[in-house]
Structure formats: structure tokens, C-alpha cells
Amino acid sequence: MKDDQKNFLLFAVIAGLLLFAWPMATGWLFPTANPPATKVQGGETKVVPNPGADPAADTPAAVRDRRVVLAETPRVAIETPLLRGSINLKGARIDDLVLLKHQETIAPDSDPIRLLSPSGAANAYFAGFGWSGRGLTAPAPDTVWQASGTKLTPTSPVTLTATNGSQRFAIELSVDEGYMFTIRQRVANLGQRAIAAAPYGYLYRYGPGKDHDTWTIHAGPVASYNGTVNYDVDYSTVKEDGTQRFDATGGWLGYTDIYWLTALVPDQGTPVALSFRPAANGASQAQFEPVSARQVAPGQVLTTSSRFFAGAKDINLLDDYEEQGGIGQFGRGIDWGWFEFFEKPIFHYLNWLFRMIGNFGVAIIALTLTVRLLLFPIAQKQFASMASMRALQPKMKALQERYKDDKPRQQQEIMKLYKEEKVNPLAGCLPTLLQIPILYALYKCLMLSIEMRHQPFVLWIKDLSAPDPLHILNLFGLLDFNPPAFLAIGVFPVLLGLSMWAQFKLNPAPMDDVQKQVFAIMPWVLMFVMAPFAAGLQLYWITSNLLTIAQQKWLYSRHPALKEPLVAVGGAAAKPDKK
């Protein structure tokens, strides 16, 4: 009895830690779901303003209004099916860019996501290209370049030119129909002496982005070199430890948020130094430059080519740039982690279901059904094992009583019993264990894939990548307050708890009192634990629980031993059903 009380007390402490420490743990282990896209107020669903989705939003803290800053310098417009913005001719910077297909909120009139912003406005974030070297008079940051056209489109490239003394410089810019710019830098030596030129590209970002770096999903500086991708550098590393340099042939580097990426891609056959370095006022800068400058004789022209990606992390598009564009590891601009080999097939299957069905929530239900069908043969073996374990319960109880003062001997006898009866106590856990990687893969898909951002389901669920906004503690929005995160219990978490409770109730009650207490409280602990997670993940678990209940009812009909009352200690144990 004392052991039972001790075990229950231990479980109660663990449950309490899960319940109250979980919000802090998730801040390090798992990024929270996207901010709620909607809230329920006065019984009505309303869109939640989300300036946090804009990494360079105009705020009262802005140095100056962005529109004023943009109007101060001559510019070349950028227009593609996915992008709008402009190139600053003062300094030859790409510093004004919005993503047309992605909005800050789910409201139809919401502004598009702004990715890049000029120096002088809030949260400056821009790319530029230049030269360094011996005998070179490179254009200064305030040089005003001349443009060959007024608009950069996928069918009309633009060339910027500047002349300093005996050198003429040109930057030819083109853009595809995705998010990739191609930059050809030329320097012509018009003088009488040889010069050494080292063309470089840089990305300047003021302060960290809105997304936080966590153990499972990286946000911040990212670099690919020598066949690997480095997610270990973050903003604090650059600030505290100084310049981080990586020598490579080709590679790429830039800054990643959960859904957005900027990346400098030097020529993939050129030895370069990739680096992150601190800049003034808490900013940081990513840069590539050749390992050694190249000689340019009088009358000669040096031409180099690089690329610049700025846009949404569309999985298929990134993979296409890697496979067709020859940019090694570019698909890993998305931090899939160690289980990419498993997570990406789950994403592609789920995305295919969505294209076929037209609703991501229904696609998640279809995915759940697929998983349960694939695991059904294993579930049958699980129930057969449960029947065998059920029949052994009286014998196990007798051994526990007989050797209650000799725990090592007790364990030896129980293992001997398993061996004699040919029962594997872990077999019943297999379907649950197999679902853990699937649940984790779905979590990563919901958190990482731009394709699932702001996808609705039905009724009040307008964004499956955000938590359920219909909270019980404020009476489903009738009371004008928002409960704290760890008490923000929505309808979906409650349904998850109820479905798990029903699943446990359907199982025969275990003989051990501690196990009974664990099964009684576990559904409600998980209800609180899962509340901050994306509604899509909760939908998967609810559907899985309901399918498990239906499956259990059918399998109980085939294994009636699971429903038979246990024989008292000392009596004959029920034999497992062999059907």
C-alpha cells in the first residue's frame, strides 16, 4: 500500500509539472503555434490584427515613416507575380519588398507581408552588392547609380551603372517568377595599371526577427557550406562572439524566419568566405566574398554572377532551386531536423490530399484514417497481446504478493512468467509508439510549411496552424477577456480530453490501483498540455482517438477475453482468445 501511495504521489508531481511547467518547456523545446488568426467576441468571430507577421511593420518606434524614406531616393520598381517593391539607386540596394501571395492576417483586405525595408525606417532589412580590392575605387554607399530601365520584371532585366575614376561598374539584375534574383557584377578597368577586384554581396538586418529560435525549429542566421547546413549560429552568437566565418566553394547564407527566407547565393564553383558579423546598433550582416581578389588588367572586364533569394519558404520551390538550380542543400532552408526523410513524405501526402479535397482539416482527417488503416494489422496483434496480458493478471498479482518484500526476485519471476506464456508486455505499446513520429511530423508540417499557414477548417477554426480560439473560460467569447495561455482551453482540447477518456473507459480497468488513477487523470492532463498547440494537431489526435474507439469495439468482439472479469488471485487465469 505504501508503494502504491508513493507511486501515485510521484505521478501527481509529474502531472503537476506537465500542467504548469509545460508552457515554459515548450518555449525552449517547441515553438508555440502561430498567433491566433481569430478571436470570438460577443459570440462573433473576428480577425485578430497581427502586425507581428510583418518583420518590418511601421510602428511608433519607427525611425521615420517608411513611405517618407522610400520617397527620398530614386528607385526602380520590382514587379513579379509574387513580389512588389523597389531597388534603391542610392547604394544599389534591394531594400523594399512585399510578398503578394501572403498576408498579415486572414482578413480579405489585409496587407501583404513585408520582407525588406530600407535603412532609416523601422527594422531595416536589405541586400546590396559591391567590390573591394587593391587599386580599386569602389562606389560608395551613397553613390547614386544610373538605371537602364524603370521596372524590373521577369521579362525585363535592369542594369545599374556607375563610374569612379578609371573603373566602370555595372550590376545587372534579373528576377524569375519565383523569389530568386540573379545578379551579374562587372568591373571594367579603364586605367593603365592592373587592379585586384573582389565582388561581394551582403544582407543587413536590424535586430532579430519576430520568430524565436527554439530547439526544434531554427530562426535566425543560417549558412550552407561543404555539404552541410549550419543552424547553430544565432543573433546572440554574432553579437557576443563576433564574426562567424565559414570557407567554402559555393554554398549560401542568410536569415530565416519560420516562413520567410533571405539568402545570398554566390557562384557555386567559386571558393568564398561566408560570414556573419555584428553591425552598429545591434544589427547583424551576412556577407560572401571570394577568398582571393582577381586581377583585372588594363582594358579587361571582370564579370561574376551570384543570386539572391527573398521570399516565402515554399517547399517545392526551394527543392526545385536545389535540384534544377544547382544550389546545394537549399531545400534545408526549412529546418526539418533529423527526421526530414520522414516528415517531407508526410507533408507531400497531406498536401496532395488537400489539393484533392480542398480543405486542410478534411485532409488531416483523411491522413489520420490512412495512418490507422496502415497500422490496423499491428493493432490486431496489440489486442491479442492485451488479451494475453489480461489473462496473466491474476498470476502476476499472486507473484507480486508472494515476493512483495523481494523486488528483484519479483521481477525475475514475472519475466519468467512472460517467457513461459510467450507474452511480450511491450507489444501493446507498438501502435502508440509508431504514431509518435507521425504526430511529430504533422507538428513540423503545421509549424513550418507556408502551404498550411492560415488554412481554415470549419465554423470558428479559421487557421489550423494556430490554437483553437473558442475558449471555455471566457464562455466562448461572451466575456471580454482572454485567459492566460496555460488556461486557454478551447473546444478542441476538451474534445481531445473527452475522446481519450472514452478510449480509456472502453479498456478493461487494470487491477493495479495506481494504474487506475493514472488512466483517470491522464486525459485531463493532456487536455491542458495540448491546448497551446495548433488546432490541426489537435484535430489529428481527436480523429485518431475516435478511430481507435471504433477499432477497439470491433476488436473486442474478436477478443472477448479482454472483457471477461478477472479471476481472483489463486483461481484459474482466463486463457487468451485465439481468434
Side-chain angles (χ1 to χ4, degrees), residues 70-380:
L70 292 175
E72 289 176 342
T73 54
R75 292 182 170 271
V76 171
I78 299 172
E79 291 187 10
T80 82
L82 301 180
L83 299 170
R84 286 289 187 279
S86 61
I87 301 164
N88 189 349
L89 293 180
K90 185 177 181 179
R93 296 172 176 174
I94 304 174
D95 64 358
D96 170 33
L97 211 58
V98 297
L99 312 182
L100 298 178
K101 300 297 184 182
H102 302 286
Q103 299 173 301
E104 290 184 12
T105 74
I106 64 172
D109 59 348
S110 174
D111 290 334
I113 289 293
R114 172 167 287 280
L115 187 60
L116 301 183
S117 199
S119 177
N123 303 314
Y125 192 8
F126 54 84
F129 302 87
W131 291 262
S132 63
R134 178 179 50 81
L136 196 72
T137 307
D142 59 354
T143 297
V144 177
W145 293 65
Q146 301 300 309
S148 64
T150 59
K151 186 183 296 184
L152 174 64
T153 73
T155 58
S156 58
V158 171
T159 300
L160 312 182
T161 56
T163 300
N164 274 353
S166 59
Q167 292 109 37
R168 181 187 299 123
F169 300 88
I171 303 175
E172 182 182 315
L173 298 120
S174 60
V175 63
D176 65 12
E177 300 213 353
Y179 299 111
M180 189 70 77
F181 296 82
T182 298
I183 296 93
R184 289 171 56 85
Q185 294 173 253
R186 297 196 304 270
V187 54
N189 186 356
L190 308 179
Q192 301 301 314
R193 296 182 179 180
I195 60 173
Y200 64 83
Y202 69 91
L203 255 171
Y204 174 96
R205 188 170 196 178
Y206 179 78
K210 301 295 183 182
D211 297 330
H212 299 292
D213 188 36
T214 67
W215 185 65
T216 54
I217 296 179
H218 177 66
V222 59
S224 172
Y225 51 93
N226 301 330
T228 65
V229 178
N230 186 338
Y231 302 114
D232 294 333
V233 179
D234 55 31
Y235 295 105
S236 62
T237 306
V238 177
K239 181 179 179 180
E240 295 168 9
D241 299 339
T243 299
Q244 308 291 305
R245 172 173 166 151
F246 317 100
D247 290 335
T249 298
W252 54 270
L253 82 167
Y255 298 103
T256 179
D257 297 299
I258 298 298
Y259 293 121
W260 329 117
L261 173 69
T262 58
L264 296 166
V265 186
D267 180 81
Q268 295 299 282
T270 302
V272 292
L274 308 175
S275 61
F276 295 103
R277 58 189 62 187
N281 302 319
S284 65
Q285 184 167 301
Q287 183 169 316
F288 76 83
E289 55 190 340
V291 171
S292 58
R294 293 174 60 179
Q295 295 294 312
V296 186
Q300 289 189 338
V301 178
L302 172 64
T303 301
T304 57
S305 181
S306 60
R307 284 172 282 182
F308 170 53
F309 178 94
K313 296 197 290 188
D314 179 293
I315 293 170
N316 292 323
L317 189 59
L318 295 185
D319 287 345
D320 186 62
Y321 285 132
E322 177 176 339
E323 296 164 10
Q324 306 300 323
I327 306 174
Q329 304 289 322
F330 203 63
R332 294 186 63 195
I334 299 174
D335 180 14
W336 292 104
W338 294 338
F339 303 106
E340 178 181 0
F341 70 93
F342 183 72
E343 292 159 3
K344 288 184 77 171
I346 292 288
F347 161 77
H348 287 300
Y349 178 60
L350 182 59
N351 199 36
W352 176 82
L353 287 172
F354 168 63
R355 293 197 306 271
M356 296 297 104
I357 297 169
N359 182 292
F360 242 114
V362 179
I364 289 173
I365 293 173
L367 169 69
T368 314
L369 183 59
T370 304
V371 171
R372 300 304 301 188
L373 287 173
L374 291 174
L375 294 181
F376 188 76
I378 299 174
Q380 285 182 297

Side-chain angles (χ1 to χ4, degrees), residues 22 439 467 493 496 525-535 537-538 541:
W22 182 252
L439 197 67
L496 191 154
V525 171
L526 286 175
M527 179 180 72
F528 281 92
V529 167
M530 290 300 297
F533 282 86
L537 197 66
Q538 298 166 8
W541 203 333

Side-chain angles (χ1 to χ4, degrees), residues 30-34 217 258-259 442-450 452 465 533-534:
F30 305 104
T32 55
N34 291 333
I217 296 179
I258 298 298
Y259 293 121
L442 181 60
Y443 158 76
K444 292 282 281 207
C445 289
L446 286 165
M447 288 301 302
L448 290 172
S449 62
I450 191 69
M452 297 184 193
S465 65
F533 282 86

Side-chain angles (χ1 to χ4, degrees), residues 2 26 41 57 71 130 161 201 245 301 323 337 383 396 406 409 426 466 487 490 493 503 520 545:
K2 288 183 179 180
T26 54
Q41 235 176 22
T161 56
R245 172 173 166 151
V301 178
E323 296 164 10
F383 272 71
M396 291 174 60
D406 188 352
R409 178 67 184 278
L426 299 180
L487 291 177
Q503 182 182 333
N545 286 345

Side-chain angles (χ1 to χ4, degrees), residues 540-553:
Y540 172 86
W541 203 333
I542 292 166
T543 306
S544 182
N545 286 345
L546 294 176
L547 291 173
T548 299
I549 290 169
Q551 191 178 62
Q552 281 178 315
K553 286 184 174 292

